[in-house]
Amino acid sequence: MSEDLAESFAKAFWIASVLASFLFVVQAPVGAQSAGARPADGVSLYNQKKYREALEAFRVQKQTATVLYYEGLCYASLQDQNTAKTLFQHIKQNFPQSPEARLVDTYLSTIEIQAPTKAASATPSEIKEASEEAARKAELSKLPDRVKVEYKKDRGLMRMKATVNGSREDFVFDTGAELTVVNRETASKLKFDPAKCVRTMTSTPRGPEPAVLTEATIEFGELTRKVKVIIMNLPVNLVGANFWDGYNYEIDEWFIRLNKKKTESNIALRPTVNSKFFVPFEQVGNLMQVKIEMNGISFPAVFDTGCQGDDISICPQHAMKLGLRSPYINYVERFDFGPIMSHHVPARINQGEFTLIGPELLGGRRFTIDRERKTIEFSY
């Protein structure tokens, strides 16, 4: 679907698809001013062809037929035709008497879909998910391709400085945290919008704990993002996997080097199974789940850069299977992780749902996390 076609249908529903090559300035459909939302700013940005900025303006509005309609036009202009169709069919299903429903009838008769979708029966949650994914891609496209972040090792943790809502704070790099965490001490110094704070429960190695879910603007070096954060009772702040979303990263003794350049289609993928240098992982939410062996038994574990020390943090279910019972320290006689094998490894039982392994178990080896290939590469 061309950008011109999207603007043509925004002008008026009676313009036939054969006129799609002409450029029109979009006007709000009849009834837009009486809608619950006021999308005038978004419409203005759309007319200026600032589609991503327009989407940001529309997303804070009530999701009326008019707002959904213009969001669909923005996605179509950005060549995301599947999301556009999802939104348009949602209008037909939920706002059948609206002027926008008549507009999208003609639009849908001309749109070319790249892949089959379930848009005709899309639920509100599916609509939201599609919108959030498109927003994520649009946000990522504005970020730098490469970023270098300095860190310092401190008792097995990777510590770095970040600016949070304008305040300079200490953080720990933690791939085992699905969301970025701000502790209560730091949160008391920052300004958060109360309207965007939601009380919740979160899973930790100590078990479920109360927390507050909100948003913060965080800056590491040249990388600045607004992300969801959890406010909870921890001694440190954690920069979690959601902040690095969309990036591969290489970690050496001094820097975390981020790279979002995509793998070219003509480059053969490196081996990921039974490889001496590569260990595959599965994406579980934002976490990296790998396969390990303890005493010859295979277990799933989360590769967690925030896991302190050279011991294994074992969940109760895995500890029971291994016959480990001490609340203080246990020992795994043999530990295997890809090409790495260790003996007599200390292990502590946590109260969470995952077994965690940290980078100290790699014996100081430099490693690269490739989220496109879903591999952890070890340098020898």
Side-chain angles (χ1 to χ4, degrees):
M1 173 55 60
S2 70
E3 177 182 303
D4 291 346
L5 184 56
E7 294 187 339
S8 300
F9 280 100
K11 171 89 171 175
F13 70 91
W14 46 266
I15 299 177
S17 60
V18 294
L19 298 177
S21 61
F22 292 93
L23 182 64
F24 295 90
V25 176
V26 68
Q27 298 177 354
V30 176
Q33 297 304 316
S34 62
R38 296 177 58 84
D41 291 342
V43 173
S44 176
L45 290 166
Y46 179 90
N47 286 335
Q48 298 173 55
K49 299 185 180 180
K50 297 179 179 179
Y51 304 120
R52 294 188 177 92
E53 290 86 344
L55 283 170
E56 293 176 2
F58 287 132
R59 272 193 292 274
V60 300
Q61 304 292 333
K62 182 179 178 181
Q63 296 295 285
T64 63
T66 298
V67 170
L68 290 167
Y69 175 74
Y70 280 109
E71 286 181 343
L73 292 181
C74 287
Y75 288 128
S77 298
L78 293 169
Q79 304 303 311
D80 188 348
Q81 298 172 13
N82 287 344
T83 301
K85 184 182 179 185
T86 298
L87 292 167
F88 291 148
Q89 292 189 320
H90 182 70
I91 291 171
K92 285 188 62 178
Q93 182 178 4
N94 294 277
F95 304 94
Q97 303 303 317
S98 67
E100 292 81 6
R102 293 193 296 274
L103 290 171
V104 300
D105 271 337
T106 310
Y107 199 110
L108 289 169
S109 70
T110 62
I111 195 168
E112 295 179 2
I113 300 303
Q114 298 167 343
T117 71
K118 299 190 299 179
S121 58
T123 65
S125 62
E126 289 172 327
I127 293 289
K128 182 180 179 181
E129 183 178 341
S131 179
E132 289 178 347
E133 176 60 19
R136 170 190 168 276
K137 292 178 180 178
E139 185 252 1
L140 187 62
S141 70
K142 299 178 184 178
L143 299 177
D145 289 337
R146 294 177 177 83
V147 180
K148 184 172 71 173
V149 180
E150 185 178 6
Y151 78 92
K152 294 182 179 180
K153 282 191 175 181
D154 177 23
R155 290 173 292 179
L157 298 178
M158 301 167 63
R159 295 184 181 271
M160 59 192 69
K161 290 285 187 179
T163 301
V164 188
N165 287 357
S167 178
R168 195 73 171 163
E169 303 293 341
D170 292 316
F171 273 78
V172 169
F173 176 69
D174 188 359
T175 57
E178 192 163 2
L179 296 180
T180 296
V181 176
V182 174
N183 65 25
R184 296 190 186 278
E185 180 182 355
T186 300
S188 66
K189 299 184 291 183
L190 306 177
K191 294 182 179 179
F192 291 103
D193 184 354
K196 295 183 179 179
C197 293
V198 179
R199 294 188 181 277
T200 184
M201 296 293 293
T202 186
S203 176
T204 76
R206 301 182 299 275
E209 292 190 6
V212 174
L213 179 64
T214 186
E215 290 182 346
T217 299
I218 302 178
E219 177 183 349
F220 283 94
E222 299 177 356
L223 184 59
T224 302
R225 305 182 86 166
K226 177 179 281 188
V227 296
K228 291 181 180 179
V229 300
I230 287 280
I231 301 173
M232 58 186 299
N233 187 26
L234 283 182
V236 295
N237 303 307
L238 306 176
V239 54
N242 67 324
F243 186 85
W244 313 111
D245 180 43
Y247 283 91
N248 300 324
Y249 37 93
E250 180 180 350
I251 300 172
D252 58 28
E253 290 295 313
W254 302 278
F255 295 101
I256 302 169
R257 303 172 194 273
L258 307 172
N259 188 338
K260 71 174 182 180
K261 184 177 180 180
K262 294 186 176 180
T263 304
E264 300 294 337
S265 59
N266 61 345
I267 298 178
L269 293 181
R270 299 173 182 178
T272 60
V273 180
N274 297 326
S275 168
K276 182 178 179 182
F277 303 103
F278 294 82
V279 175
F281 66 83
E282 294 183 12
Q283 198 82 24
V284 180
N286 282 325
L287 304 179
M288 294 178 291
Q289 183 171 280
V290 297
K291 290 290 186 182
I292 63 173
E293 285 191 9
M294 294 184 287
N295 295 347
I297 305 174
S298 179
F299 295 96
V302 170
F303 184 72
D304 179 6
T305 56
C307 193
Q308 192 171 10
D310 58 358
D311 56 351
I312 307 167
S313 178
I314 301 183
C315 69
Q317 181 181 359
H318 294 170
M320 184 179 298
K321 192 168 184 179
L322 289 167
L324 306 179
R325 296 183 177 83
S326 172
Y328 302 106
I329 191 165
N330 301 269
Y331 288 92
V332 172
E333 291 308 314
R334 173 166 173 163
F335 169 78
D336 292 89
F337 178 40
I340 298 172
M341 186 267 290
S342 304
H343 290 286
H344 204 59
V345 179
R348 302 178 189 273
I349 301 174
N350 65 44
Q351 298 303 314
E353 57 181 312
F354 298 112
T355 289
L356 310 174
I357 62 170
E360 291 298 309
L361 286 167
L362 307 183
R365 295 174 175 87
R366 180 172 177 169
F367 62 95
T368 300
I369 295 173
D370 190 327
R371 289 189 174 273
E372 292 171 337
R373 295 186 174 100
K374 294 186 178 180
T375 60
I376 302 173
E377 174 185 351
F378 301 98
S379 299
Y380 284 82

